């Protein structure tokens, strides 16, 4: 399984944990909620769904029947397939949420992991955020060293492009620092309260650690252009 297909499976399981959906609805959520999936197609999503069904993590159910079955039949419309997360699928997704290895710090995977931080244990969130920050600090150090070596050989535009890249990484590091400090502050506040242990048990997966001013991840996460659904997909006869 490729890294990108693994990220897509993770995102699909996470969205279906919230509620059952049909394929077009899933694709729309992936586009609007997770900007990293703007460019993928139905030809990518449906094989992923079939794989998840084959693994026993999803089941397919017929959608709600049209109110006028005869009119729907004459119009050539068919009931859409609804995908529902199984108990095994929920358990598998929770296992994936607990992973904090290097893959969770990479660009695309981190964006998907961050989108489901509300369902992630606080300690896991901290490890992912700190790992991401360390990865970016290493990248920033290499970028600075490279720029110092090649500065004299670069024209003004190439130099400006490299500076822009460095500023983007520096901005994300500052954003991560704010998130990490907010997570720590929230944890310390609960630990110092009289009922801190019980409160932590009930809020371990909450988003209470986010900065109050509403920090958002850096980068363009605006939804891409809308795509009309393929009438041949996502249906049952």
């Amino acid at each position: 399984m490729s890294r990108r297909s693994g990220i897509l499976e993770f995102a699909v399981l996470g969205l279906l944990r919230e509620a059952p959906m049909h394929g077009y609805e899933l694709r729309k959520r992936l586009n609007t909620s997770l900007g990293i999936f703007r460019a993928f197609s139905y030809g990518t999503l449906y094989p992923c769904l079939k794989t998840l069904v084959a693994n026993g993590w999803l089941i397919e159910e017929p959608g709600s029947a049209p109110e006028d079955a005869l009119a729907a039949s004459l119009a050539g419309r068919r009931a859409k397939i609804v995908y529902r997360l199984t108990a095994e699928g929920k358990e598998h997704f929770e296992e994936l949420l607990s992973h904090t290895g290097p893959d969770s710090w990479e660009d695309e995977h981190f964006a998907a992991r961050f989108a489901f931080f509300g369902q992630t244990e606080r300690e896991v969130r901290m490890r992912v955020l700190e790992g991401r920050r360390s990865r970016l600090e290493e990248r920033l150090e290499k970028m600075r060293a490279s720029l110092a070596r090649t500065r004299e050989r670069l024209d003004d535009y190439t130099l400006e492009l490299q500076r822009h890249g460095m500023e983007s990484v520096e901005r994300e590091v500052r954003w991560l620092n704010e998130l990490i400090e907010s997570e720590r502050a929230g944890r310390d506040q609960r630990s110092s309260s009289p009922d801190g242990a019980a409160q932590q048990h009930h809020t371990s997966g909450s988003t209470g650690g986010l900065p109050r001013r509403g920090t958002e991840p850096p980068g363009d996460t605006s939804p891409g252009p809308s795509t009309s659904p393929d009438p041949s997909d996502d249906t049952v006869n």
Side-chain angles (χ1 to χ4, degrees):
M1 180 175 61
S2 69
R3 176 178 295 179
R4 186 164 179 81
S5 63
I7 299 171
L8 179 58
E9 289 185 6
F10 172 83
V12 168
L13 291 172
L15 289 174
L16 291 176
R17 189 186 185 190
E18 299 173 2
M21 302 181 203
H22 54 72
Y24 178 61
E25 194 175 5
L26 261 173
R27 186 177 189 275
K28 185 176 180 181
R29 287 291 306 278
L30 288 165
N31 278 341
T32 57
S33 302
L34 301 172
I36 60 173
F37 295 107
R38 285 195 298 264
F40 88 106
S41 65
Y42 281 97
T44 303
L45 175 60
Y46 282 96
C48 172
L49 290 170
K50 295 301 182 184
T51 298
L52 295 176
V53 170
N55 289 339
W57 297 329
L58 301 182
I59 56 173
E60 297 178 335
E61 298 176 339
S64 301
E67 294 181 3
D68 189 338
L70 178 59
S73 176
L74 292 174
R77 292 183 298 182
R78 296 173 290 177
K80 290 183 176 295
I81 295 173
V82 172
Y83 295 91
R84 182 185 299 274
L85 195 66
T86 64
E88 293 80 6
K90 181 180 179 181
E91 182 179 349
H92 178 63
F93 178 69
E94 290 173 351
E95 179 183 350
L96 293 176
L97 279 179
S98 69
H99 290 175
T100 58
D103 280 353
S104 65
W105 310 335
E106 300 300 336
D107 296 343
E108 289 188 339
H109 207 156
F110 173 76
R113 288 298 302 268
F114 190 85
F116 295 101
F117 262 21
Q119 303 179 41
T120 305
E121 293 291 331
R122 183 174 299 276
E123 293 303 319
V124 175
R125 291 201 301 260
M126 283 290 292
R127 289 196 294 271
V128 173
L129 289 172
E130 290 172 343
R132 174 65 175 173
R133 181 176 62 181
S134 295
R135 179 59 49 85
L136 290 182
E137 287 174 341
E138 293 173 3
R139 185 182 301 174
L140 191 58
E141 184 178 350
K142 291 178 180 178
M143 293 172 74
R144 286 169 175 162
S146 175
L147 184 59
R149 289 194 308 268
T150 60
R151 180 187 300 271
E152 299 301 326
R153 301 194 300 270
L154 300 178
D155 61 60
D156 290 343
Y157 294 102
T158 304
L159 184 61
E160 190 62 31
L161 184 62
Q162 292 210 9
R163 286 174 176 165
H164 174 69
M166 288 176 54
E167 289 172 359
S168 297
V169 177
E170 289 170 344
R171 185 165 56 251
E172 184 170 352
V173 169
R174 290 194 298 270
W175 172 70
L176 289 167
N177 285 334
E178 292 179 1
L179 290 173
I180 290 169
E181 289 306 313
S182 295
E183 291 281 357
R184 287 175 178 165
R187 180 179 58 190
D188 293 343
Q189 183 178 6
R190 273 185 296 279
S191 299
S192 63
S193 64
D195 59 343
Q199 189 176 6
Q200 185 173 5
H201 173 74
H202 290 292
T203 61
S204 60
S206 70
T207 56
L210 289 176
R212 291 186 178 182
R213 63 183 179 80
T215 308
E216 295 184 2
D220 178 15
T221 57
S222 59
S226 60
T227 304
S228 300
D230 184 345
S232 65
D233 285 325
D234 197 27
T235 56
V236 293
N237 293 321

